[in-house]
Amino acid sequence: MIRTRFAPSPTGYMHIGNLRTALYTYLIAKKQNGKFILRIEDTDTERYVHGAIDIILDVLKDTGLNYDEGPNIGGDFGPYVQSERKHIYEKYAEKLVEQGNAYYCFCKDDRLSKLREEALKNNTVFKYDKHCLNLTKEKIKKKIENGEPYVIRQNNPIEGTTTFNDILYGEITVPNFELEDMILLKTDKMPTYNFANVIDDHLMNITHIVRGKEYLSSAPKYQRLYEAFSWEVPTYIHCPHIMKNETEKLSKRNGDASYNDLIEKGYLSEAIINYIALLGWSPDSNEEFFTLEELIKNFNYENISKSSSIFDIKKLKWMNSEYIKKMDKEKFHNMAYKYYENIPKQIDKHLLSEMLQNRIEIFTQIPDIIDFLIELPDYDLSIFEHKKMKTTIESSKKVLTEILPIFENTNDYSIENLNSLLNSYISENSYKNGFVLWPIRCALSGKISSPGGSSELAYLFQKDETLRRIKIAINKLN
Ligand code: GLU
């Protein structure tokens, strides 16, 4: 049985890279009818952000990445929040100490800071110097009795090599002298992430681990832990980074793309999931649109690319617009509605939604597109001049002056009636459509680009506002 886990740290918000990890992890499990587990990795109390767990839970719910075991719902391998598992780790760390694969370290911060400074001076990577490795049992006992705080460090050999396997990168061998004697258990007996993840993945029977490529350098240390315990090593899939451009990573620090930012900007959850699935994975066909169900069917982790992918917001925008076009009309209307707050009462909001659905790429574009409905912009007369429509300021003045009485003489402001009035006027005068419709649309919207045609706009505004705007235009044109 395949068991995968998404193991986020509650550090604030759902970065797109993390969400992609969650998605791939989910897909691997679901494709094989396996289990997808959520585990919260909150042992690093300094990075902990209040409320962050709720954000993780909400995003998973929103995107449909439903977990089979995890916080709130439980499961056979709980608890699923690492801080609630604190009591579990110590005995494993002690076992490693007994075996000689770990040791107590009593070094104080000032000594460690000195080592760090030295490393910086010598331009080398900081590595703990195994100072406490050779403390005798008696000395250790005494220090503990004296209440001296200690951590437990992994004891990595300085000779030989360690080899591990990754699905994308193949077999990787590193010299052991590169491996830091990382801390496994902190002074407060809380495990570090580096230790807890191995213990938990084993205890939770995790078979496949998807994580960011930044963890490749830790993998040999994890490998040594698995080997020390004689545990089966899970299958590793280290995903390449998502880049902002050729050189910069999409990073939390730059405030780049978090899932919630995208939602706030008016992207649809389904479009985001579809887009990020393709950020680093390609299907066998040329198909680009996938529902979550289709992703489950088509995803295969061997097709994840080894090279980084660039987060192309234009492509996401395009994809989002396609999703918007295909949306259920009522659903679109409900989502668009919150942007209609200041729109005048008489305006038919359902029609407005219909006019917008094929026009917007993201929902937050709505206010700019419909601002003219609230207030007539202070437009420039040049908007009436349109080469293709063969309109000029003069011709526009003439058309609007002739149209005004037609609009004044009717009370039927249905689109049908307005269309037929305009069509009769156009054919009676043997004008081209654009020659008449362009100036009306400009007069009503005050813009060269707006949703809907002349009749739709006049219908939205109804009689009073339509006449008012046409009169304003005629005055301006005079
Ligand atoms: N807690 C780690 C993070 O949020 C997860 C890494 C892993 O998948 O092991 O980056």
Side-chain angles (χ1 to χ4, degrees):
M1 152 86 90
I2 299 253
R3 289 175 58 85
T4 64
R5 61 25 169 213
F6 176 47
S9 304
T11 53
Y13 64 106
M14 183 73 86
H15 183 259
I16 281 301
N18 281 352
L19 185 58
R20 186 188 63 174
T21 300
L23 174 63
Y24 288 0
T25 310
Y26 170 85
L27 295 175
I28 291 171
K30 293 296 136 183
K31 170 131 195 180
Q32 313 259 8
N33 285 323
K35 295 269 187 262
F36 172 59
I37 288 118
L38 173 65
R39 182 174 75 226
I40 302 293
E41 303 204 321
D42 60 346
T43 57
D44 189 348
T45 40
E46 274 166 35
R47 288 175 70 214
Y48 182 82
V49 174
H50 204 72
I53 296 182
D54 285 337
I55 295 179
I56 295 166
L57 301 181
D58 288 348
V59 173
L60 293 179
K61 190 164 173 215
D62 229 40
T63 50
L65 303 181
N66 299 323
Y67 47 92
D68 302 296
E69 297 168 26
N72 296 348
I73 60 167
D76 292 342
F77 301 84
Y80 293 90
V81 178
Q82 272 178 343
S83 58
E84 293 168 22
R85 302 170 62 79
K86 192 179 164 189
H87 58 283
I88 293 176
Y89 307 101
E90 191 180 2
K91 72 168 190 260
Y92 291 100
E94 290 294 349
K95 184 157 187 215
L96 291 173
V97 174
E98 264 166 47
Q99 296 172 337
N101 286 313
Y103 56 95
Y104 293 94
C105 171
F106 295 87
C107 285
K108 306 241 165 24
D109 278 348
D110 51 348
R111 180 165 192 279
L112 296 172
S113 306
K114 266 200 200 116
L115 288 180
R116 274 200 192 91
E117 273 166 32
E118 260 166 49
L120 206 68
K121 242 193 256 156
N122 301 334
N123 238 339
T124 52
V125 183
F126 164 76
K127 232 184 119 208
Y128 179 66
D129 60 357
K130 291 185 184 280
H131 180 74
C132 290
L133 176 61
N134 297 318
L135 288 176
T136 59
K137 275 208 169 118
E138 291 71 48
K139 264 207 174 141
I140 293 172
K141 202 170 157 229
K142 248 208 183 117
K143 279 176 178 287
I144 294 176
E145 276 166 9
N146 287 342
E148 271 190 53
Y150 64 89
V151 299
I152 294 181
R153 286 185 184 272
Q154 187 179 22
N155 182 19
N156 286 315
I158 21 188
E159 280 164 0
T161 55
T162 299
T163 300
F164 70 97
N165 264 291
D166 175 90
I167 289 288
L168 305 183
Y169 296 91
E171 193 176 279
I172 297 183
T173 299
V174 295
N176 288 334
F177 70 80
E178 282 183 7
L179 306 179
E180 155 77 345
D181 282 356
M182 63 181 182
I183 297 175
L184 307 177
L185 213 65
K186 297 185 254 188
T187 48
D188 61 356
K189 304 258 159 100
M190 191 70 121
T192 55
Y193 154 75
N194 285 315
F195 188 48
N197 90 81
V198 171
I199 305 298
D200 287 346
D201 285 337
H202 171 73
L203 294 179
M204 294 180 178
N205 285 350
I206 301 301
T207 58
H208 291 66
I209 294 180
V210 184
R211 54 163 70 114
K213 193 180 153 193
E214 64 274 22
Y215 288 99
L216 261 183
S217 60
S218 303
K221 291 179 273 189
Y222 304 156
Q223 177 79 17
R224 297 198 65 82
L225 291 175
Y226 281 104
E227 285 173 8
F229 289 118
S230 305
W231 289 343
E232 200 180 323
V233 184
T235 300
Y236 284 126
I237 301 152
H238 287 87
C239 293
H241 293 138
I242 300 179
M243 306 291 284
K244 183 176 173 173
N245 50 44
E246 295 293 333
T247 53
E248 285 172 283
K249 255 174 47 177
L250 199 63
S251 77
K252 278 189 198 181
R253 233 169 271 142
N254 297 339
D256 292 334
S258 85
Y259 172 81
N260 294 83
D261 287 345
L262 291 174
I263 292 292
E264 243 167 63
K265 283 183 189 151
Y267 290 89
L268 295 168
S269 185
E270 298 90 322
I272 299 173
I273 286 291
N274 190 157
Y275 177 65
I276 65 169
L278 302 173
L279 268 182
W281 168 75
S282 32
D284 290 327
S285 66
N286 286 331
E287 182 58 46
E288 288 195 289
F289 289 94
F290 294 94
T291 61
L292 196 53
E293 279 307 306
E294 289 163 347
L295 282 173
I296 293 173
K297 267 195 221 120
N298 288 280
F299 189 78
N300 90 24
Y301 60 72
E302 272 94 11
N303 275 8
I304 297 176
S305 157
K306 258 205 286 191
S307 43
S308 312
S309 35
I310 292 184
F311 185 82
D312 180 355
I313 194 80
K314 278 200 214 113
K315 171 115 195 228
L316 173 59
K317 242 187 204 166
W318 166 77
M319 193 162 248
N320 202 63
S321 71
E322 294 299 310
Y323 269 86
I324 286 181
K325 280 181 204 143
K326 279 184 258 166
M327 257 174 110
D328 170 71
K329 276 189 180 167
E330 207 44 43
K331 189 172 169 202
F332 177 87
H333 179 65
N334 290 335
M335 284 183 73
Y337 201 83
K338 75 168 186 213
Y339 298 97
Y340 297 166
E341 225 177 295
N342 299 317
I343 299 286
K345 272 202 308 296
Q346 82 270 20
I347 285 183
D348 177 344
K349 313 233 172 23
H350 272 99
L351 178 69
L352 182 57
S353 287
E354 270 177 44
M355 284 155 65
L356 290 172
Q357 189 163 0
N358 280 322
R359 197 182 165 92
I360 60 164
E361 296 169 297
I362 52 176
F363 280 87
T364 43
Q365 289 170 341
I366 293 179
D368 277 350
I369 296 177
I370 64 173
D371 57 358
F372 73 95
L373 294 172
I374 301 164
E375 197 178 342
L376 179 64
D378 186 16
Y379 57 87
D380 195 273
L381 283 187
S382 61
I383 65 170
F384 289 103
E385 295 169 329
H386 196 299
K387 257 204 190 125
K388 232 173 106 198
M389 310 286 183
K390 298 203 166 62
T391 58
T392 61
I393 291 187
E394 277 311 304
S395 77
S396 300
K397 191 169 85 182
K398 180 170 175 342
V399 165
L400 290 174
T401 314
E402 288 172 9
I403 282 295
L404 182 63
I406 301 178
F407 278 2
E408 276 172 333
N409 285 336
T410 180
N411 286 322
D412 180 359
Y413 268 68
S414 64
I415 297 177
E416 241 177 27
N417 185 48
L418 292 163
N419 269 339
S420 96
L421 292 174
L422 286 172
N423 285 338
S424 330
Y425 170 74
I426 287 168
S427 56
E428 274 162 26
N429 292 285
S430 312
Y431 289 143
K432 286 255 160 51
N433 283 347
F435 187 78
V436 172
L437 302 180
W438 181 257
I440 300 178
R441 219 168 52 81
C442 288
L444 294 181
S445 67
K447 285 177 151 189
I448 50 171
S449 144
S450 68
S454 313
S455 306
E456 273 117 348
L457 291 184
Y459 161 73
L460 286 183
F461 285 124
Q462 291 294 300
K463 187 168 182 176
D464 289 351
E465 185 62 11
T466 299
L467 297 180
R468 189 181 79 86
R469 292 191 179 208
I470 289 180
K471 282 177 194 162
I472 289 173
I474 294 171
N475 271 338
K476 274 187 178 239
L477 289 161
N478 265 322

